[in-house]
Short mmCIF file of all heavy atoms in Angstrom, two decimals:
data_model
loop_
_atom_site.label_atom_id
_atom_site.label_comp_id
_atom_site.label_asym_id
_atom_site.label_seq_id
_atom_site.Cartn_x
_atom_site.Cartn_y
_atom_site.Cartn_z
N SER W 1 198.58 126.66 76.66
CA SER W 1 197.50 127.64 76.51
C SER W 1 196.34 127.09 75.71
O SER W 1 196.53 126.16 74.93
CB SER W 1 198.13 128.91 75.84
OG SER W 1 198.39 128.67 74.48
N TYR W 2 195.23 127.73 75.86
CA TYR W 2 194.01 127.22 75.20
C TYR W 2 194.05 127.48 73.70
O TYR W 2 194.42 128.63 73.25
CB TYR W 2 192.81 127.95 75.78
CG TYR W 2 191.50 127.56 75.15
CD1 TYR W 2 190.99 126.31 75.34
CD2 TYR W 2 190.83 128.37 74.29
CE1 TYR W 2 189.80 125.93 74.70
CE2 TYR W 2 189.68 128.03 73.67
CZ TYR W 2 189.11 126.82 73.86
OH TYR W 2 187.98 126.43 73.23
N ARG W 3 193.68 126.53 72.88
CA ARG W 3 193.61 126.67 71.48
C ARG W 3 192.21 126.18 71.05
O ARG W 3 191.89 124.99 71.13
CB ARG W 3 194.62 125.83 70.75
CG ARG W 3 196.05 126.33 71.02
CD ARG W 3 197.08 125.58 70.22
NE ARG W 3 196.65 124.35 69.57
CZ ARG W 3 197.44 123.31 69.38
NH1 ARG W 3 198.62 123.23 69.82
NH2 ARG W 3 196.94 122.25 68.73
N PRO W 4 191.33 127.08 70.62
CA PRO W 4 189.96 126.66 70.21
C PRO W 4 190.06 125.73 69.00
O PRO W 4 190.95 125.86 68.19
CB PRO W 4 189.31 127.95 69.81
CG PRO W 4 190.13 129.09 70.22
CD PRO W 4 191.52 128.51 70.50
N HIS W 5 189.19 124.72 69.01
CA HIS W 5 189.20 123.69 67.95
C HIS W 5 187.87 122.96 67.92
O HIS W 5 187.10 123.08 68.83
CB HIS W 5 190.39 122.73 68.13
CG HIS W 5 190.21 121.85 69.31
ND1 HIS W 5 190.59 122.33 70.57
CD2 HIS W 5 189.74 120.59 69.49
CE1 HIS W 5 190.37 121.39 71.46
NE2 HIS W 5 189.86 120.31 70.83
N LEU W 6 187.67 122.23 66.85
CA LEU W 6 186.48 121.43 66.71
C LEU W 6 186.93 120.01 66.50
O LEU W 6 187.68 119.71 65.54
CB LEU W 6 185.67 121.83 65.49
CG LEU W 6 184.41 121.06 65.11
CD1 LEU W 6 183.42 121.11 66.25
CD2 LEU W 6 183.80 121.57 63.82
N THR W 7 186.59 119.15 67.40
CA THR W 7 186.98 117.69 67.35
C THR W 7 185.88 116.87 66.64
O THR W 7 184.72 116.90 67.16
CB THR W 7 187.24 117.14 68.74
OG1 THR W 7 188.27 117.92 69.37
CG2 THR W 7 187.66 115.64 68.67
N LEU W 8 186.14 116.35 65.52
CA LEU W 8 185.18 115.48 64.80
C LEU W 8 185.38 114.02 65.13
O LEU W 8 184.47 113.23 64.95
CB LEU W 8 185.34 115.73 63.29
CG LEU W 8 185.03 117.15 62.83
CD1 LEU W 8 185.22 117.25 61.33
CD2 LEU W 8 183.66 117.57 63.18
N GLY W 9 186.54 113.64 65.56
CA GLY W 9 186.80 112.23 65.91
C GLY W 9 188.13 112.20 66.69
O GLY W 9 188.93 113.10 66.65
N ARG W 10 188.29 111.11 67.32
CA ARG W 10 189.54 110.88 68.12
C ARG W 10 189.96 109.44 68.04
O ARG W 10 189.12 108.57 68.10
CB ARG W 10 189.26 111.32 69.54
CG ARG W 10 190.45 111.21 70.46
CD ARG W 10 190.17 111.63 71.89
NE ARG W 10 189.46 112.91 71.95
CZ ARG W 10 190.15 114.14 71.99
NH1 ARG W 10 191.48 114.07 72.04
NH2 ARG W 10 189.49 115.21 72.08
N VAL W 11 191.23 109.23 67.89
CA VAL W 11 191.81 107.89 67.89
C VAL W 11 192.78 107.86 69.08
O VAL W 11 193.75 108.59 69.12
CB VAL W 11 192.55 107.54 66.61
CG1 VAL W 11 193.23 106.19 66.68
CG2 VAL W 11 191.64 107.58 65.42
N ASN W 12 192.47 106.98 70.03
CA ASN W 12 193.41 106.86 71.16
C ASN W 12 194.63 106.06 70.83
O ASN W 12 194.63 105.34 69.80
CB ASN W 12 192.70 106.18 72.33
CG ASN W 12 191.55 107.06 72.88
OD1 ASN W 12 191.66 108.26 72.89
ND2 ASN W 12 190.48 106.44 73.36
N GLY W 13 195.63 106.13 71.60
CA GLY W 13 196.84 105.40 71.37
C GLY W 13 196.66 103.93 71.29
O GLY W 13 195.59 103.38 71.62
N GLY W 14 197.67 103.20 70.93
CA GLY W 14 197.53 101.76 70.99
C GLY W 14 197.42 101.19 69.53
O GLY W 14 197.43 99.97 69.38
N LEU W 15 197.31 102.04 68.56
CA LEU W 15 197.26 101.56 67.20
C LEU W 15 198.61 101.35 66.62
O LEU W 15 199.51 102.22 66.86
CB LEU W 15 196.48 102.53 66.29
CG LEU W 15 194.95 102.64 66.44
CD1 LEU W 15 194.41 103.66 65.46
CD2 LEU W 15 194.33 101.27 66.15
N ALA W 16 198.85 100.32 65.88
CA ALA W 16 200.10 100.08 65.26
C ALA W 16 200.32 101.09 64.19
O ALA W 16 199.33 101.61 63.57
CB ALA W 16 200.18 98.66 64.63
N PRO W 17 201.52 101.52 63.88
CA PRO W 17 201.83 102.49 62.87
C PRO W 17 201.14 102.21 61.49
O PRO W 17 200.63 103.11 60.81
CB PRO W 17 203.34 102.54 62.76
CG PRO W 17 203.81 102.10 64.06
CD PRO W 17 202.77 101.07 64.54
N GLU W 18 201.16 100.93 61.11
CA GLU W 18 200.48 100.56 59.84
C GLU W 18 199.01 100.80 59.91
O GLU W 18 198.38 101.25 58.93
CB GLU W 18 200.74 99.10 59.54
CG GLU W 18 200.08 98.55 58.29
CD GLU W 18 200.51 99.30 57.00
OE1 GLU W 18 201.62 99.93 57.04
OE2 GLU W 18 199.78 99.23 56.02
N ALA W 19 198.33 100.58 61.08
CA ALA W 19 196.91 100.84 61.21
C ALA W 19 196.64 102.32 61.09
O ALA W 19 195.66 102.74 60.54
CB ALA W 19 196.40 100.22 62.49
N VAL W 20 197.49 103.11 61.71
CA VAL W 20 197.33 104.56 61.67
C VAL W 20 197.44 105.05 60.20
O VAL W 20 196.64 105.89 59.70
CB VAL W 20 198.36 105.33 62.55
CG1 VAL W 20 198.34 106.80 62.32
CG2 VAL W 20 198.12 104.98 64.00
N ARG W 21 198.41 104.50 59.46
CA ARG W 21 198.63 104.90 58.05
C ARG W 21 197.35 104.52 57.24
O ARG W 21 196.89 105.33 56.44
CB ARG W 21 199.84 104.20 57.49
CG ARG W 21 200.17 104.71 56.07
CD ARG W 21 201.18 103.87 55.36
NE ARG W 21 200.76 102.51 55.13
CZ ARG W 21 199.90 102.13 54.18
NH1 ARG W 21 199.28 103.04 53.44
NH2 ARG W 21 199.56 100.87 54.02
N ARG W 22 196.82 103.34 57.47
CA ARG W 22 195.61 102.91 56.71
C ARG W 22 194.45 103.82 57.06
O ARG W 22 193.64 104.16 56.17
CB ARG W 22 195.28 101.46 57.02
CG ARG W 22 196.21 100.51 56.32
CD ARG W 22 195.74 99.04 56.32
NE ARG W 22 195.15 98.61 57.59
CZ ARG W 22 195.81 98.00 58.54
NH1 ARG W 22 197.05 97.66 58.43
NH2 ARG W 22 195.15 97.61 59.66
N LEU W 23 194.29 104.16 58.34
CA LEU W 23 193.19 105.04 58.76
C LEU W 23 193.36 106.41 58.08
O LEU W 23 192.36 106.96 57.57
CB LEU W 23 193.25 105.21 60.25
CG LEU W 23 192.16 106.19 60.83
CD1 LEU W 23 190.77 105.74 60.49
CD2 LEU W 23 192.36 106.36 62.28
N MET W 24 194.54 106.94 58.04
CA MET W 24 194.73 108.28 57.47
C MET W 24 194.54 108.22 55.98
O MET W 24 193.95 109.12 55.35
CB MET W 24 196.12 108.77 57.75
CG MET W 24 196.36 109.07 59.26
SD MET W 24 195.12 110.12 60.03
CE MET W 24 195.39 111.67 59.16
N ASP W 25 194.91 107.09 55.30
CA ASP W 25 194.69 106.93 53.85
C ASP W 25 193.18 106.96 53.57
O ASP W 25 192.68 107.55 52.65
CB ASP W 25 195.30 105.65 53.34
CG ASP W 25 196.79 105.73 53.22
OD1 ASP W 25 197.35 106.83 53.28
OD2 ASP W 25 197.42 104.66 53.08
N SER W 26 192.41 106.22 54.41
CA SER W 26 190.97 106.14 54.25
C SER W 26 190.30 107.48 54.45
O SER W 26 189.37 107.89 53.67
CB SER W 26 190.35 105.17 55.27
OG SER W 26 190.80 103.86 55.00
N VAL W 27 190.78 108.29 55.41
CA VAL W 27 190.19 109.58 55.67
C VAL W 27 190.45 110.48 54.46
O VAL W 27 189.67 111.24 53.97
CB VAL W 27 190.78 110.20 56.95
CG1 VAL W 27 190.47 111.70 57.03
CG2 VAL W 27 190.31 109.43 58.17
N GLY W 28 191.74 110.39 53.95
CA GLY W 28 192.04 111.19 52.77
C GLY W 28 191.20 110.85 51.55
O GLY W 28 190.82 111.73 50.77
N GLN W 29 190.91 109.53 51.37
CA GLN W 29 190.08 109.17 50.21
C GLN W 29 188.64 109.57 50.37
O GLN W 29 187.94 109.74 49.37
CB GLN W 29 190.16 107.63 50.06
CG GLN W 29 191.51 107.13 49.58
CD GLN W 29 191.59 105.60 49.57
OE1 GLN W 29 190.60 104.93 49.76
NE2 GLN W 29 192.80 105.12 49.44
N ALA W 30 188.20 109.84 51.57
CA ALA W 30 186.78 110.23 51.81
C ALA W 30 186.61 111.73 51.68
O ALA W 30 185.53 112.24 51.69
CB ALA W 30 186.34 109.83 53.20
N ARG W 31 187.73 112.49 51.52
CA ARG W 31 187.60 113.92 51.44
C ARG W 31 186.69 114.35 50.27
O ARG W 31 186.78 113.85 49.15
CB ARG W 31 189.03 114.59 51.20
CG ARG W 31 188.99 116.05 51.08
CD ARG W 31 190.35 116.61 51.05
NE ARG W 31 190.95 116.37 52.38
CZ ARG W 31 192.20 116.41 52.62
NH1 ARG W 31 193.09 116.53 51.65
NH2 ARG W 31 192.68 116.22 53.84
N GLY W 32 185.73 115.20 50.63
CA GLY W 32 184.81 115.71 49.60
C GLY W 32 183.63 114.82 49.39
O GLY W 32 182.64 115.20 48.73
N ARG W 33 183.58 113.62 49.99
CA ARG W 33 182.38 112.76 49.83
C ARG W 33 181.41 112.98 50.98
O ARG W 33 181.78 113.34 52.09
CB ARG W 33 182.88 111.31 50.00
CG ARG W 33 183.67 110.84 48.78
CD ARG W 33 183.90 109.37 48.93
NE ARG W 33 184.79 108.89 47.90
CZ ARG W 33 185.34 107.68 47.90
NH1 ARG W 33 185.09 106.86 48.86
NH2 ARG W 33 186.18 107.35 46.90
N GLN W 34 180.17 112.80 50.68
CA GLN W 34 179.14 112.85 51.69
C GLN W 34 179.04 111.49 52.32
O GLN W 34 178.80 110.48 51.64
CB GLN W 34 177.82 113.30 51.11
CG GLN W 34 176.78 113.43 52.18
CD GLN W 34 175.47 114.05 51.71
OE1 GLN W 34 175.44 114.66 50.65
NE2 GLN W 34 174.43 113.90 52.45
N CYS W 35 179.15 111.42 53.65
CA CYS W 35 179.16 110.13 54.33
C CYS W 35 177.93 110.00 55.25
O CYS W 35 177.95 109.23 56.18
CB CYS W 35 180.44 110.00 55.16
SG CYS W 35 181.94 110.00 54.25
N GLY W 36 176.90 110.73 54.96
CA GLY W 36 175.74 110.77 55.79
C GLY W 36 175.33 112.20 56.11
O GLY W 36 176.07 113.15 55.71
N SER W 37 174.32 112.41 56.83
CA SER W 37 173.90 113.73 57.21
C SER W 37 173.16 113.69 58.55
O SER W 37 172.70 112.68 58.98
CB SER W 37 173.01 114.33 56.15
OG SER W 37 171.80 113.65 56.01
N PHE W 38 173.14 114.85 59.13
CA PHE W 38 172.35 115.02 60.39
C PHE W 38 171.93 116.47 60.52
O PHE W 38 172.54 117.36 59.88
CB PHE W 38 173.15 114.53 61.63
CG PHE W 38 174.31 115.46 61.95
CD1 PHE W 38 174.18 116.38 62.94
CD2 PHE W 38 175.51 115.35 61.25
CE1 PHE W 38 175.25 117.26 63.27
CE2 PHE W 38 176.59 116.13 61.59
CZ PHE W 38 176.44 117.13 62.56
N THR W 39 170.93 116.75 61.32
CA THR W 39 170.45 118.06 61.53
C THR W 39 170.60 118.36 63.04
O THR W 39 169.84 117.82 63.87
CB THR W 39 168.98 118.26 61.14
OG1 THR W 39 168.90 117.89 59.76
CG2 THR W 39 168.50 119.65 61.32
N PRO W 40 171.59 119.18 63.40
CA PRO W 40 171.82 119.44 64.84
C PRO W 40 170.72 120.31 65.39
O PRO W 40 170.14 121.21 64.64
CB PRO W 40 173.15 120.15 64.90
CG PRO W 40 173.29 120.75 63.54
CD PRO W 40 172.57 119.86 62.63
N ASP W 41 170.30 120.17 66.63
CA ASP W 41 169.30 121.06 67.20
C ASP W 41 169.86 121.95 68.37
O ASP W 41 169.19 122.76 68.81
CB ASP W 41 168.12 120.24 67.75
CG ASP W 41 168.52 119.24 68.84
OD1 ASP W 41 169.71 119.15 69.20
OD2 ASP W 41 167.66 118.51 69.29
N HIS W 42 171.19 121.71 68.63
CA HIS W 42 171.83 122.57 69.58
C HIS W 42 173.36 122.50 69.43
O HIS W 42 173.87 121.63 68.72
CB HIS W 42 171.48 122.21 71.07
CG HIS W 42 172.01 120.81 71.45
ND1 HIS W 42 171.39 119.66 71.15
CD2 HIS W 42 173.10 120.53 72.13
CE1 HIS W 42 172.11 118.63 71.61
NE2 HIS W 42 173.19 119.11 72.25
N LEU W 43 174.03 123.43 70.02
CA LEU W 43 175.48 123.52 69.99
C LEU W 43 175.94 123.54 71.44
O LEU W 43 175.43 124.36 72.21
CB LEU W 43 175.91 124.76 69.24
CG LEU W 43 177.43 125.03 69.12
CD1 LEU W 43 178.04 123.98 68.17
CD2 LEU W 43 177.71 126.37 68.59
N SER W 44 176.94 122.64 71.74
CA SER W 44 177.38 122.62 73.12
C SER W 44 178.82 123.02 73.17
O SER W 44 179.66 122.64 72.31
CB SER W 44 177.30 121.20 73.71
OG SER W 44 175.96 120.77 73.88
N LEU W 45 179.14 123.90 74.14
CA LEU W 45 180.59 124.27 74.37
C LEU W 45 181.05 123.32 75.51
O LEU W 45 180.49 123.32 76.59
CB LEU W 45 180.65 125.70 74.80
CG LEU W 45 182.11 126.22 75.19
CD1 LEU W 45 182.98 126.16 73.99
CD2 LEU W 45 181.96 127.65 75.73
N MET W 46 182.07 122.57 75.22
CA MET W 46 182.54 121.53 76.08
C MET W 46 183.95 121.85 76.62
O MET W 46 184.76 122.49 75.88
CB MET W 46 182.57 120.17 75.47
CG MET W 46 181.29 119.75 74.81
SD MET W 46 179.93 119.46 76.05
CE MET W 46 180.56 117.97 76.83
N ASN W 47 184.25 121.39 77.80
CA ASN W 47 185.60 121.51 78.39
C ASN W 47 186.05 120.03 78.59
O ASN W 47 185.26 119.17 78.99
CB ASN W 47 185.54 122.25 79.72
CG ASN W 47 186.94 122.30 80.39
OD1 ASN W 47 187.85 122.89 79.78
ND2 ASN W 47 187.11 121.68 81.52
N SER W 48 187.31 119.77 78.24
CA SER W 48 187.82 118.42 78.51
C SER W 48 189.07 118.55 79.32
O SER W 48 189.86 119.43 79.13
CB SER W 48 188.13 117.69 77.16
OG SER W 48 189.17 118.34 76.50
N GLU W 49 189.14 117.66 80.29
CA GLU W 49 190.31 117.60 81.19
C GLU W 49 190.83 116.20 81.13
O GLU W 49 190.08 115.22 81.37
CB GLU W 49 189.95 118.03 82.58
CG GLU W 49 189.55 119.47 82.71
CD GLU W 49 189.40 119.88 84.17
OE1 GLU W 49 190.09 119.34 85.03
OE2 GLU W 49 188.59 120.82 84.37
N LEU W 50 192.10 116.08 80.84
CA LEU W 50 192.74 114.78 80.67
C LEU W 50 193.04 114.24 82.12
O LEU W 50 193.68 114.91 82.86
CB LEU W 50 194.00 114.80 79.82
CG LEU W 50 194.63 113.49 79.53
CD1 LEU W 50 193.68 112.56 78.85
CD2 LEU W 50 195.88 113.77 78.70
N GLY W 51 192.55 113.05 82.40
CA GLY W 51 192.80 112.38 83.71
C GLY W 51 193.45 111.03 83.48
O GLY W 51 193.62 110.62 82.32
N ALA W 52 193.79 110.38 84.51
CA ALA W 52 194.39 109.01 84.47
C ALA W 52 193.51 108.05 83.72
O ALA W 52 194.08 107.18 83.05
CB ALA W 52 194.75 108.54 85.85
N GLY W 53 192.22 108.13 83.82
CA GLY W 53 191.33 107.22 83.20
C GLY W 53 190.82 107.70 81.88
O GLY W 53 189.87 107.09 81.29
N GLY W 54 191.34 108.77 81.35
CA GLY W 54 190.90 109.31 80.07
C GLY W 54 190.34 110.71 80.32
O GLY W 54 190.42 111.28 81.38
N SER W 55 189.80 111.34 79.27
CA SER W 55 189.33 112.63 79.32
C SER W 55 187.96 112.72 80.05
O SER W 55 187.19 111.75 79.91
CB SER W 55 189.11 113.23 77.94
OG SER W 55 190.34 113.42 77.31
N VAL W 56 187.72 113.76 80.79
CA VAL W 56 186.48 114.01 81.44
C VAL W 56 185.89 115.26 80.76
O VAL W 56 186.54 116.30 80.73
CB VAL W 56 186.65 114.25 82.96
CG1 VAL W 56 185.32 114.63 83.60
CG2 VAL W 56 187.21 113.00 83.60
N TYR W 57 184.73 115.12 80.22
CA TYR W 57 184.04 116.21 79.49
C TYR W 57 182.96 116.85 80.37
O TYR W 57 182.17 116.21 80.95
CB TYR W 57 183.47 115.72 78.20
CG TYR W 57 184.54 115.09 77.26
CD1 TYR W 57 184.72 113.71 77.26
CD2 TYR W 57 185.27 115.91 76.45
CE1 TYR W 57 185.73 113.15 76.42
CE2 TYR W 57 186.27 115.34 75.60
CZ TYR W 57 186.43 114.01 75.62
OH TYR W 57 187.44 113.45 74.82
N THR W 58 182.94 118.20 80.32
CA THR W 58 181.96 118.96 81.07
C THR W 58 181.36 119.96 80.08
O THR W 58 182.04 120.68 79.45
CB THR W 58 182.59 119.70 82.22
OG1 THR W 58 183.27 118.81 83.04
CG2 THR W 58 181.53 120.44 83.08
N ARG W 59 179.97 120.00 80.04
CA ARG W 59 179.34 120.95 79.22
C ARG W 59 179.38 122.32 79.90
O ARG W 59 178.91 122.47 81.07
CB ARG W 59 177.92 120.56 78.88
CG ARG W 59 177.26 121.58 77.96
CD ARG W 59 175.79 121.33 77.56
NE ARG W 59 175.29 120.08 77.91
CZ ARG W 59 174.28 119.51 77.24
NH1 ARG W 59 173.73 120.12 76.28
NH2 ARG W 59 173.79 118.34 77.65
N LEU W 60 179.91 123.34 79.24
CA LEU W 60 180.01 124.67 79.84
C LEU W 60 178.79 125.51 79.49
O LEU W 60 178.35 126.36 80.27
CB LEU W 60 181.24 125.36 79.31
CG LEU W 60 182.61 124.72 79.67
CD1 LEU W 60 183.74 125.43 79.04
CD2 LEU W 60 182.77 124.58 81.16
N ASN W 61 178.27 125.30 78.29
CA ASN W 61 177.11 126.04 77.87
C ASN W 61 176.39 125.32 76.71
O ASN W 61 177.07 124.46 76.06
CB ASN W 61 177.49 127.47 77.38
CG ASN W 61 176.35 128.49 77.55
OD1 ASN W 61 175.21 128.11 77.53
ND2 ASN W 61 176.75 129.75 77.67
N MET W 62 175.16 125.60 76.47
CA MET W 62 174.40 125.00 75.37
C MET W 62 173.51 126.07 74.73
O MET W 62 172.90 126.86 75.45
CB MET W 62 173.58 123.83 75.88
CG MET W 62 172.96 122.98 74.76
SD MET W 62 171.37 123.47 74.18
CE MET W 62 170.33 123.26 75.57
N ALA W 63 173.55 126.14 73.39
CA ALA W 63 172.71 127.04 72.69
C ALA W 63 171.85 126.32 71.72
O ALA W 63 172.33 125.54 70.89
CB ALA W 63 173.63 128.05 71.90
N PRO W 64 170.50 126.49 71.79
CA PRO W 64 169.63 125.83 70.82
C PRO W 64 169.79 126.47 69.45
O PRO W 64 170.09 127.61 69.37
CB PRO W 64 168.20 126.07 71.37
CG PRO W 64 168.38 127.22 72.38
CD PRO W 64 169.78 127.24 72.79
N LEU W 65 169.60 125.67 68.48
CA LEU W 65 169.64 126.14 67.07
C LEU W 65 168.25 126.19 66.52
O LEU W 65 167.39 125.42 66.87
CB LEU W 65 170.54 125.22 66.20
CG LEU W 65 171.98 125.13 66.67
CD1 LEU W 65 172.72 124.04 65.83
CD2 LEU W 65 172.74 126.41 66.57
N ALA W 66 168.07 127.18 65.62
CA ALA W 66 166.76 127.27 64.97
C ALA W 66 166.43 126.03 64.11
O ALA W 66 167.34 125.48 63.54
CB ALA W 66 166.67 128.55 64.10
N PRO W 67 165.19 125.66 64.02
CA PRO W 67 164.89 124.51 63.12
C PRO W 67 165.22 124.86 61.70
O PRO W 67 165.23 126.02 61.28
CB PRO W 67 163.34 124.31 63.24
CG PRO W 67 162.87 125.29 64.27
CD PRO W 67 164.02 126.24 64.66
N PRO W 68 165.55 123.86 60.89
CA PRO W 68 165.90 124.13 59.50
C PRO W 68 164.73 124.69 58.75
O PRO W 68 163.55 124.40 59.05
CB PRO W 68 166.30 122.75 58.96
CG PRO W 68 165.74 121.74 59.87
CD PRO W 68 165.61 122.42 61.20
N VAL W 69 165.04 125.56 57.80
CA VAL W 69 164.00 126.14 56.91
C VAL W 69 163.84 125.35 55.68
O VAL W 69 164.84 125.05 55.01
CB VAL W 69 164.40 127.61 56.60
CG1 VAL W 69 163.40 128.20 55.60
CG2 VAL W 69 164.50 128.46 57.79
N ARG W 70 162.65 124.91 55.32
CA ARG W 70 162.39 124.09 54.15
C ARG W 70 162.12 125.09 53.03
O ARG W 70 161.23 125.89 53.10
CB ARG W 70 161.20 123.22 54.37
CG ARG W 70 161.32 122.26 55.53
CD ARG W 70 162.02 120.97 55.04
NE ARG W 70 162.02 120.07 56.22
CZ ARG W 70 162.96 119.23 56.40
NH1 ARG W 70 163.91 119.08 55.47
NH2 ARG W 70 162.97 118.41 57.43
N LEU W 71 162.93 124.98 51.95
CA LEU W 71 162.74 125.80 50.78
C LEU W 71 161.91 125.09 49.73
O LEU W 71 162.16 123.83 49.54
CB LEU W 71 164.03 126.28 50.21
CG LEU W 71 164.93 127.12 51.16
CD1 LEU W 71 166.29 127.39 50.56
CD2 LEU W 71 164.21 128.38 51.55
N GLY W 72 161.12 125.74 49.02
CA GLY W 72 160.38 125.12 47.87
C GLY W 72 159.15 124.43 48.32
O GLY W 72 158.45 123.71 48.01
#
């Protein structure tokens, strides 16, 4: 069944267990840190279907976002 979620990153299979552990440790150490910034101008609702060659992504809808408001 469908479970709404937000994907921020994906690691495909093929990583050795030790590499996965190191990656997860690094992600944990970065918690709460700012690693850069960006200003989105739209939000896309995507559908993904897993196929033999990997996932196929289709945009279902797109909503523009208002420009950021500068304070001060």
